[in-house]
Amino acid sequence: MAYKIKKDPIDKIPKAQLIFWIIVRLSMIICATYSFVTGDVVMGFESVFCFIFTHLWDMFQIFGNGSFIEEVPPLSQTMLNIIIFIGIVIGSYFGLFDKISWFDNFMHILSGFVCASFGYDFACIIQRKKGQCAATLAAIFALMFALSIAVGWEFYEFLMDTLHGTNLQLAKYGEETAMIDISKYNGEYGYLGLVDTMTDMMMNAVGGVVGMIFMIVLRNRKKKSK
């Protein structure tokens, strides 16, 4: 079968969700423009990448060529857009990561929850031609998917710190660590960075477990109601 590029089926997107998608995309354009104008290249490129991520569902539909990827529901994109909006606009540009001590942990838990929710349905979609996917298999895939995304994010932070001189993993002295009592971390910024990284991973795991359980309960209820 010849490869075909489809038209974006925006009519499949619930109107309320589509409006939210547009708001998030416009926000990313504004954030990227503001960052580049003010010289914050890191946040500028992060906003650009997030803008691209707000179009994942559209790309699945356009370039899916009839594969299982086209069956990903619009709700998955909406949940991703929620993370992007809260993390970039509210967290970074309104400074909640700096103002609220637990905000970073909250974002990692939310990220784990959303990734596990997506992973659960994604496993069921992949297995659709072989019959109904077992809840146990979908749950395991969901949790592993959430943890894989968490690892990918830590890769990103490490590479940005190494190649661009940022301090996302809090592994060195800087503006981000100036108010931290380093004596609680054996007086070593390397140990502080390790604690920060492992805490992020554990929070993603917590969110992943909650998301996994949520999807098991949700999908079982839908089965019983049919």
Side-chain angles (χ1 to χ4, degrees), residues 36-156:
F36 286 127
V37 169
T38 57
D40 192 344
V41 179
V42 174
M43 281 306 303
F45 279 113
E46 191 168 311
S47 299
V48 170
F49 291 142
C50 285
F51 174 77
I52 295 172
F53 291 149
T54 63
H55 291 79
L56 282 181
W57 185 86
D58 304 81
M59 289 187 282
F60 291 164
Q61 302 301 312
I62 294 172
F63 304 110
N65 196 36
S67 67
F68 66 87
I69 200 72
E70 292 184 7
E71 296 183 32
V72 173
L75 182 59
S76 295
Q77 180 70 69
T78 300
M79 291 192 294
L80 175 59
N81 288 352
I82 289 173
I83 293 179
I84 291 173
F85 187 82
I86 295 176
I88 299 297
V89 178
I90 299 177
S92 296
Y93 284 93
F94 285 92
L96 262 65
F97 282 111
D98 298 322
K99 296 176 183 178
I100 303 177
S101 59
W102 49 262
F103 190 79
D104 184 58
N105 289 339
F106 165 74
M107 282 304 303
H108 281 282
I109 292 174
L110 179 61
S111 175
F113 177 89
V114 171
C115 289
S117 300
F118 172 80
Y120 189 98
D121 279 343
F122 197 53
C124 295
I125 291 171
I126 293 173
Q127 291 291 311
R128 76 197 191 290
K129 290 185 178 180
K130 297 181 180 180
Q132 185 175 335
C133 182
T136 304
L137 178 61
I140 294 174
F141 182 88
L143 182 57
M144 293 302 102
F145 184 81
L147 292 177
S148 297
I149 297 299
V151 171
W153 178 256
E154 295 305 323
F155 282 177
Y156 161 76

Side-chain angles (χ1 to χ4, degrees), residues 35 161 183:
S35 295
D161 290 353
S183 65

Side-chain angles (χ1 to χ4, degrees), residues 22-46:
I22 294 172
I23 292 173
V24 176
R25 290 168 181 175
L26 289 175
S27 299
M28 291 304 101
I29 294 174
I30 294 171
C31 289
T33 303
Y34 174 81
S35 295
F36 286 127
V37 169
T38 57
D40 192 344
V41 179
V42 174
M43 281 306 303
F45 279 113
E46 191 168 311

